[in-house]
Amino acid sequence: MAAPFEDWYRQMPVVTRTFMTGAVLTTLAVYLDIVHPLELYLNPNLIFHKGEGWRLITNFLFFDYFGINFLFHMYFLVRHSRMLEESSYRGRTADYVFLWLFGAIFLLALNIGMFYINLDSRILFLAPSLAFVVVYVWARRNPNVRMSFLGLFTFNAPYLPWVILGFGMLLGQSPLLDGLGIVVGHVYYYLEDIYPTISNGRRILRTPQFLKTILDAPVAQQAPRPPAPAFDEHQHEQ
């Protein structure tokens, strides 16, 4: 008989499970001194001049050492990624992977751009920002869901990213990481959900066919793509 944790892990959708596993194993490797965070962080000089290309991936897999901050980010990421993957992206694994790729590439471009124009961004790991992209998209796609934060107050889901950002600031964290995630999440949300409704169905974001070939079931077995929500200028303005 499978243990409760094993059942929970196996029932988790594939993209959420894969990222969570990678993040936990990376953090465990750091905890056991198999690798050091200095071997994982994002450093454009080492990537482009020393050929350390793995940093483009590993900087998204390390949130922090095991502790409250790690658990805080993993809880919100896994919970909302799972709900998003099981609802909006059910039967559309390639489209969900594309969301993650869009977020990662956009965040890398922003951070590397800031590095080369000599802005002292001090961003070594983009894992929290990528998690925020996912949380933001889920929140905007569930405008009527009521939520409670630590039992202190309730609010509608679209305010969740701002509540988390504000709570982090109260704990002395910089808003930059969460803020970047909000920016990139909003760009994806606008291009994927809003723009097609105001441009007669025209889509700028298209999942590459090779991802669909590799990750998705045959077309006849796929769940239909849910339509983007109708545009409401009051509902969607920031």
Side-chain angles (χ1 to χ4, degrees), residues 48-110:
F48 296 118
H49 301 299
K50 300 292 185 178
E52 298 184 3
W54 66 82
R55 295 175 183 272
L56 293 171
I57 298 175
T58 57
N59 87 93
F60 289 111
L61 296 176
F62 185 70
F63 288 88
D64 201 345
Y65 294 94
F66 286 126
I68 296 298
N69 190 44
F70 173 81
L71 293 175
F72 180 79
H73 281 96
M74 288 301 296
Y75 168 77
F76 279 100
L77 171 63
V78 172
R79 181 173 188 270
H80 296 95
S81 176
R82 178 173 185 168
M83 289 192 292
L84 189 61
E85 190 171 357
E86 291 179 338
S87 55
S88 297
Y89 293 95
R90 179 179 294 275
R92 299 167 52 212
T93 301
D95 289 336
Y96 194 48
V97 169
F98 183 64
L99 184 161
W100 285 77
L101 290 175
F102 175 89
I105 292 171
F106 205 139
L107 287 168
L108 285 171
L110 286 175

Side-chain angles (χ1 to χ4, degrees), residues 157-175:
Y159 293 101
L160 176 63
W162 304 101
V163 171
I164 298 174
L165 185 148
F167 182 72
M169 291 179 65
L170 289 176
L171 295 178
Q173 299 175 6
S174 168

Side-chain angles (χ1 to χ4, degrees), residues 35 77 99 102 106 121 136 166-167 193 203 205 212 222:
V35 296
L77 171 63
L99 184 161
F102 175 89
F106 205 139
S121 62
Y136 184 91
F167 182 72
D193 290 10
R203 288 189 171 276
L205 297 182
K212 294 184 177 182
Q222 288 187 23

Side-chain angles (χ1 to χ4, degrees), residues 12-29:
M12 191 177 299
V14 61
V15 178
T16 302
R17 183 173 69 240
T18 299
F19 184 84
M20 183 193 74
T21 302
V24 170
L25 290 179
T26 300
T27 308
L28 182 62

Side-chain angles (χ1 to χ4, degrees), residues 21-225:
T21 302
V24 170
L25 290 179
T26 300
T27 308
L28 182 62
V30 171
Y31 176 77
L32 296 175
D33 289 327
I34 298 173
V35 296
H36 192 277
L38 291 178
E39 300 174 87
L40 306 174
Y41 78 100
L42 182 63
N43 185 317
N45 279 332
L46 295 177
I47 292 170
F48 296 118
H49 301 299
K50 300 292 185 178
E52 298 184 3
W54 66 82
R55 295 175 183 272
L56 293 171
I57 298 175
T58 57
N59 87 93
F60 289 111
L61 296 176
F62 185 70
F63 288 88
D64 201 345
Y65 294 94
F66 286 126
I68 296 298
N69 190 44
F70 173 81
L71 293 175
F72 180 79
H73 281 96
M74 288 301 296
Y75 168 77
F76 279 100
L77 171 63
V78 172
R79 181 173 188 270
H80 296 95
S81 176
R82 178 173 185 168
M83 289 192 292
L84 189 61
E85 190 171 357
E86 291 179 338
S87 55
S88 297
Y89 293 95
R90 179 179 294 275
R92 299 167 52 212
T93 301
D95 289 336
Y96 194 48
V97 169
F98 183 64
L99 184 161
W100 285 77
L101 290 175
F102 175 89
I105 292 171
F106 205 139
L107 287 168
L108 285 171
L110 286 175
N111 196 44
I112 292 174
M114 289 189 293
F115 177 85
Y116 279 108
I117 62 175
N118 295 319
L119 288 180
D120 188 15
S121 62
R122 298 182 183 277
I123 298 178
L124 304 180
F125 295 96
L126 287 168
S129 300
L130 185 58
F132 236 75
V133 172
V134 175
V135 172
Y136 184 91
V137 173
W138 177 86
R140 293 306 297 262
R141 287 187 174 177
N142 294 273
N144 298 317
V145 173
R146 295 290 292 172
M147 308 191 72
S148 173
F149 188 76
L150 302 178
L152 299 177
F153 57 92
T154 59
F155 53 92
N156 285 353
Y159 293 101
L160 176 63
W162 304 101
V163 171
I164 298 174
L165 185 148
F167 182 72
M169 291 179 65
L170 289 176
L171 295 178
Q173 299 175 6
S174 168
L176 181 58
L177 284 172
D178 294 345
L180 283 177
I182 288 175
V183 169
V184 174
H186 188 71
V187 171
Y188 176 89
Y189 172 74
Y190 179 84
L191 294 178
E192 179 68 11
D193 290 10
I194 307 302
Y195 182 74
T197 69
I198 61 176
S199 62
N200 297 319
R202 188 183 310 126
R203 288 189 171 276
I204 294 177
L205 297 182
R206 296 183 181 275
T207 302
Q209 186 58 46
F210 78 90
L211 285 179
K212 294 184 177 182
T213 300
I214 296 171
L215 299 172
D216 284 348
V219 174
Q221 300 178 18
Q222 288 187 23
R225 183 188 184 98

